[in-house]
């Protein structure tokens, strides 16, 4: 029921208050790129954000790592007074080995380590006012433009990654395919994703069912997956305008031309329409699942004993044998502070003993 107001209160200023506070604090966004060497991962990220936020190693200096490495670079970029702390995580060595068994494990370990850092901050007794968010919000998965089907390693890796992070698949260097080959390749991949139950982003089950506009927009994005993209930071002159693109024998492949590739759709989704949703799904779905698994075995402090009043130093918790396998006894009134402190200690101990 909505109650009408009898005069002006000022509730409409809340949005402006939130906007000013958000602008003052700035925003955070963390991207991971996964794919074989030579698929243009660094180039694509630089093209999306129109800055050199990802550094590409010269080909003559590149050597195949013996294992998958995790390298993260952070930048603060600004546009019209809006500050964005952008972290880009690359995975050199992925898929480049003769034996790629378990090549996804270092990636999953890194994603879970960021959840663990956030969780440790949350359960800390002296928690920071604003917890630094290093959780991976978006994982762009690069599919080689073979024109045939997904490789077994692609299927196995994506099946595992979608369980812990938002995965957006793209066909790298799609200009190496004709338009007909590209469409057949996309259709084959879409069918394989369904067959193997690989729920890439956007996952329609995680959407707000009450927002039909958002649902229809994401449904159209889903139908376009995987995006056939081309990345380039080189400017060419086409007619009277300068465009980003790659030079070919017949002309210039324009990165931002929808007739040439689907780069615009990828960038619009990541930045202009779904950036906040990527962060919310990370926090409310993937991180919550991780948090639940970590904390589900911990002891509970009864709700009637929790309060904000510090405990009196004259009260002591009765001595008892420490046993972490038993349910904690109900703290007496006046022991609230010690009970909370004990609970925090138990959380830390349980986290250090448990394994994912």
């Amino acid at each position: 029921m909505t109650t009408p107001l009898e005069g002006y209160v000022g509730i409409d200023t809340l949005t402006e208050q939130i906007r000013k506070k958000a602008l003052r604090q700035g925003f955070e966004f963390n991207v991971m790129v996964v794919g074989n060497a030579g698929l243009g991962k660094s180039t694509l990220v630089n093209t999306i954000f129109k800055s050199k936020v990802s550094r590409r190693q010269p080909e003559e200096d590149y050597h195949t790592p013996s294992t998958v490495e995790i390298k993260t670079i952070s930048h603060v970029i600004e546009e019209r007074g809006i500050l964005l702390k952008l972290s880009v995580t690359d995975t050199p060595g992925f898929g480049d080995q003769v034996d790629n068994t378990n090549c996804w494990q270092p990636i999953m370990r890194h994603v879970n380590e960021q959840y663990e850092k956030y969780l440790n901050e949350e359960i800390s007794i002296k928690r920071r006012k604003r917890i630094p968010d290093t959780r991976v919000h978006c994982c762009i998965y690069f599919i080689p433009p073979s024109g045939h089907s997904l490789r077994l390693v692609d299927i196995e890796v994506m099946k595992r990654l979608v369980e812990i992070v938002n995965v957006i698949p793209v066909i790298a260097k799609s200009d190496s395919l004709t338009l007909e080959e590209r469409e057949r390749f996309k259709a084959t991949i879409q069918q394989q994703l369904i067959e193997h139950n690989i729920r890439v982003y956007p996952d329609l089950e995680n959407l707000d069912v009450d927002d039909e506009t958002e649902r229809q927009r994401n449904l159209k994005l889903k139908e376009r997956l995987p995006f056939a993209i081309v990345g380039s930071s080189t400017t060419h002159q086409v007619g009277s305008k300068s465009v980003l693109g790659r030079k070919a024998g017949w002309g210039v492949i324009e990165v931002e031309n929808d007739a040439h590739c689907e780069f615009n759709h990828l960038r619009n989704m990541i930045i202009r329409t779904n950036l906040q949703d990527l962060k919310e799904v990370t926090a409310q779905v993937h991180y919550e699942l991780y948090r639940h698994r970590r904390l589900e075995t911990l002891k509970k402090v009864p709700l009637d004993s929790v309060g904000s009043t510090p405990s009196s130093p004259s009260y002591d918790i009765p001595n008892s044998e420490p046993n972490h396998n038993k349910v904690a006894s109900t703290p007496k009134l006046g022991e609230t502070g010690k009970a909370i402190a004990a609970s925090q200690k138990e959380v830390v101990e349980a986290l250090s003993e448990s394994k994912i």
Side-chain angles (χ1 to χ4, degrees):
M1 183 181 71
T2 303
T3 303
L5 301 176
E6 297 179 359
Y8 180 71
V9 175
I11 299 174
D12 58 347
T13 65
L14 283 173
T15 54
E16 183 63 16
Q17 295 175 44
I18 296 172
R19 188 186 74 86
K20 286 182 177 179
K21 186 173 182 180
L23 289 178
R24 187 167 59 251
Q25 293 178 340
F27 302 89
E28 297 168 316
F29 190 60
N30 308 314
V31 181
M32 172 180 273
V33 289
V34 177
N36 292 48
L39 291 180
K41 300 188 294 295
S42 299
T43 301
L44 178 66
V45 174
N46 291 340
T47 309
I48 290 175
F49 294 98
K50 292 193 173 181
S51 58
K52 295 189 179 301
V53 294
S54 184
R55 300 170 187 170
R56 181 176 60 181
Q57 190 174 11
E59 291 184 8
E60 59 271 17
D61 296 337
Y62 180 80
H63 66 281
T64 303
S66 57
T67 58
V68 178
E69 299 176 354
I70 305 294
K71 295 184 177 180
T72 301
I73 301 176
S74 296
H75 300 265
V76 175
I77 56 179
E78 180 179 1
E79 184 180 43
R80 297 181 182 179
I82 308 297
L83 295 175
L84 176 68
K85 182 182 178 182
L86 175 68
S87 294
V88 180
T89 300
D90 196 1
T91 55
F94 172 82
D96 297 334
Q97 315 299 323
V98 175
D99 182 4
N100 290 304
T101 304
N102 298 330
C103 63
W104 55 81
Q105 288 184 350
I107 300 171
M108 296 186 67
R109 188 180 305 116
H110 173 78
V111 173
N112 284 329
E113 281 174 355
Q114 308 319 305
Y115 292 149
E116 185 74 9
K117 287 181 182 178
Y118 200 89
L119 179 59
N120 287 336
E121 288 284 352
E122 275 193 333
I123 66 174
S124 175
I125 296 176
K126 293 184 179 180
R127 187 165 55 179
R128 281 187 267 189
K129 187 175 181 180
R130 188 182 184 197
I131 301 176
D133 190 1
T134 60
R135 296 171 296 184
V136 178
H137 302 126
C138 172
C139 174
I140 304 177
Y141 190 88
F142 287 70
I143 300 169
S146 66
H148 302 296
S149 62
L150 289 174
R151 302 171 302 172
L152 288 177
V153 65
D154 296 324
I155 294 172
E156 292 301 319
V157 172
M158 283 197 285
K159 280 174 66 175
R160 288 163 172 81
L161 288 183
V162 295
E163 298 296 327
I164 61 173
V165 69
N166 299 316
V167 176
I168 301 175
V170 299
I171 300 174
K173 296 186 175 181
S174 64
D175 54 314
S176 62
L177 303 171
T178 66
L179 292 179
E180 293 77 12
E181 290 172 338
R182 192 178 79 180
E183 291 308 308
R184 287 198 299 269
F185 192 30
K186 282 167 64 80
T188 301
I189 293 173
Q190 289 173 350
Q191 185 60 36
Q192 286 182 291
L193 293 176
I194 295 173
E195 289 176 358
H196 296 279
N197 193 29
I198 302 174
R199 295 165 56 179
V200 296
Y201 182 89
D203 188 349
L204 300 182
E205 293 187 13
N206 293 329
L207 295 178
D208 184 356
V209 294
D210 297 328
D211 192 336
E212 185 60 28
T213 302
E214 179 185 358
R215 186 172 185 83
Q216 289 302 320
R217 185 183 71 243
N218 282 282
L219 187 59
K220 290 180 180 179
L221 288 173
K222 189 85 169 179
E223 292 172 351
R224 284 189 175 273
L225 293 176
F227 295 112
I229 52 92
V230 175
S232 176
S233 55
T234 306
T235 302
H236 298 276
Q237 198 69 24
V238 177
S240 59
K241 62 179 182 178
S242 297
V243 299
L244 289 173
R246 294 175 61 180
K247 191 77 172 177
W250 53 266
V252 176
I253 303 164
E254 300 177 32
V255 170
E256 297 175 300
N257 187 334
D258 291 347
H260 292 185
C261 72
E262 297 174 318
F263 170 82
N264 281 336
H265 297 286
L266 173 66
R267 182 178 61 188
N268 290 344
M269 182 180 76
I270 291 178
I271 300 177
R272 301 177 184 178
T273 62
N274 287 49
L275 187 148
Q276 185 60 32
D277 185 66
L278 284 163
K279 297 182 67 173
E280 289 178 358
V281 172
T282 299
Q284 299 170 9
V285 179
H286 297 300
Y287 172 66
E288 278 301 313
L289 178 61
Y290 178 91
R291 184 176 181 274
H292 172 75
R293 288 172 176 172
R294 291 297 262 163
L295 302 180
E296 63 181 349
T297 60
L298 299 181
K299 303 176 183 179
K300 297 180 175 64
V301 176
L303 293 179
D304 59 2
S305 70
V306 177
S308 59
T309 305
S311 60
S312 170
S314 61
Y315 286 96
D316 291 313
I317 297 178
N319 294 327
S320 61
E321 291 292 327
N323 188 340
H324 299 291
N325 296 322
K326 295 181 180 180
V327 178
S329 59
T330 304
K332 297 180 181 179
L333 294 177
E335 298 175 0
T336 304
K338 291 184 178 180
I340 294 176
S343 177
Q344 295 289 356
K345 183 179 179 182
E346 292 164 2
V347 170
V348 175
E349 290 176 350
L351 285 175
S352 64
E353 293 173 359
S354 59
K355 295 181 179 179
I356 295 297

